[in-house]
Amino acid sequence: MELLAFNPLVKDLSRAWSLLHDAIHLIPRATLRSLDREDQQHILGKLTGLTSLAISVSLEISRSPLEALQLQELSRSITNGQLLDYRTDISDLMEEYPTLAKEFDSLRQTLDSPVPSSSTESSDTSKGKLLQILEQQAIIGRKNKAAQDLDNILFQIRQKPGFKNFLREESEEYFLSAAQEGPIVVLNVSKLRSDAILVTKAQVTSIALSDLSHDSMMKYFDNSKEIRVSENNEVKRELLEWLWTGAVRPVLRNLGFYPTPNLKKVGSLPRIWWIGVGLMAKAPIHVA
């Protein structure tokens, strides 16, 4: 998917961003709540790289860093729990609208219930296999109905005062409040460009990381997309220097935590939360 931005037929990056934006929002439709967990994870595995590319295209066409961050957080929520929308805490909803909250909770429990495996003792005979297939189809049918009902309940909830953005993209206030104890840095590398999205308690900004190229990153990953394991200290040092030069140092300078010609001395350093997108999630950023 990262090749999309470099395909000569794709010249309208604004259109590409629109498609990527819609694709991320449609992931829950591809990973239906009625599917079992293994099937959901298999489908999500096929979408690797989608979020990273969406962030890069978003920043390339000068969309706001907040929009890019919202896409990243939405995608993270989806991949970590097939949209945390039916695993989230609903205490506020329960307090304000208990009937809707109970319906929502009942539906998500239905969707979370497993579909019986076909490898059971009852499937030893043809009749047993037929009964099991019918049982599975009935459960899947109930799950599909529950998924449709859940969409309807979500629509009703979002019509209520104070719940307009219930289980949708997080607001700017949400991200700023998350950075009260220290900045949050999201690192993204794709074939199109590399960036750091910086979240402080005052604003969401971004900086381009020109020395953190995709090609140089791939030198440190093997074919299974894991960090290359090496006993060679020189290779390890090279990786850490690459991360320091390309990502950590420019971020610290931008945040005012590293001396520059105009800033000779810095004060006490706060905690920084580093978040990598895609392959960068596996990079030893904290060590650098």
Side-chain angles (χ1 to χ4, degrees), residues 20 31 43 66 90 115 126 153 161 167 232 259:
L20 289 165
T31 53
I43 294 172
L66 175 61
I90 59 171
V115 176
S126 297
I153 289 296
L167 306 177
N232 188 331

Side-chain angles (χ1 to χ4, degrees), residues 80-266:
N80 282 358
Q82 205 281 297
L83 235 187
L84 293 179
D85 59 8
Y86 66 98
R87 297 178 178 277
T88 191
D89 175 35
I90 59 171
S91 55
D92 290 341
L93 181 65
M94 183 67 76
E95 183 176 344
E96 296 290 333
Y97 303 100
T99 300
L100 284 175
K102 290 176 182 177
E103 289 185 55
F104 177 85
D105 190 54
S106 175
L107 289 169
R108 68 177 178 178
Q109 288 186 37
T110 298
L111 291 167
D112 253 355
S113 62
V115 176
S117 170
S118 58
S119 57
T120 63
E121 294 181 0
S122 63
S123 63
D124 290 342
T125 65
S126 297
K127 183 178 180 180
K129 290 180 180 179
L130 177 60
L131 290 174
Q132 190 171 69
I133 291 173
L134 292 175
E135 180 186 4
Q136 289 176 332
Q137 290 178 339
I139 292 175
I140 292 173
R142 288 196 293 270
K143 282 176 169 281
N144 285 332
K145 177 63 165 56
Q148 295 174 1
D149 291 343
L150 184 60
D151 287 339
N152 180 52
I153 289 296
L154 286 174
F155 177 80
Q156 294 182 50
I157 292 172
R158 289 164 181 164
Q159 305 306 304
K160 301 300 182 183
F163 290 88
K164 179 180 179 181
N165 293 319
F166 182 71
L167 306 177
R168 282 178 169 163
E169 294 172 341
E170 301 291 358
S171 65
E172 182 177 21
E173 290 72 21
Y174 167 85
F175 292 113
L176 299 185
S177 65
Q180 290 301 306
E181 300 299 322
I184 300 170
V185 180
V186 178
L187 298 176
N188 183 62
V189 177
S190 75
K191 289 187 176 181
L192 178 59
R193 57 183 289 155
S194 301
D195 300 270
I197 300 176
L198 313 178
V199 185
T200 67
K201 58 184 179 182
Q203 60 184 342
V204 178
T205 59
S206 68
I207 59 172
L209 301 174
S210 57
D211 292 330
L212 202 70
S213 72
H214 182 272
D215 288 343
S216 59
M217 178 179 69
M218 293 310 298
K219 293 192 304 181
Y220 303 107
F221 287 86
D222 57 27
N223 292 333
S224 60
K225 306 303 182 184
E226 297 292 338
I227 290 286
R228 295 183 186 277
V229 178
S230 174
E231 297 300 324
N232 188 331
N233 288 331
E234 188 62 33
V235 174
K236 295 178 181 178
R237 187 179 299 109
E238 182 182 331
L239 168 61
L240 295 178
E241 287 179 354
W242 174 73
L243 288 170
W244 167 256
T245 303
V248 178
R249 185 171 61 188
V251 165
L252 294 180
R253 280 178 171 168
N254 185 275
L255 292 172
F257 301 151
Y258 188 82
T260 66
N262 297 323
L263 182 65
K264 302 298 183 181
K265 186 178 180 180
V266 297

Side-chain angles (χ1 to χ4, degrees), residues 17-47:
W17 178 85
S18 179
L19 293 173
L20 289 165
H21 176 274
D22 290 347
I24 289 176
H25 282 77
L26 288 172
I27 290 176
R29 297 291 184 181
T31 53
L32 292 175
R33 300 180 180 100
S34 57
L35 296 176
D36 62 37
R37 185 64 54 186
E38 288 186 6
D39 288 338
Q40 291 177 1
Q41 293 300 323
H42 175 74
I43 294 172
L44 290 172
K46 298 294 185 180
L47 301 176

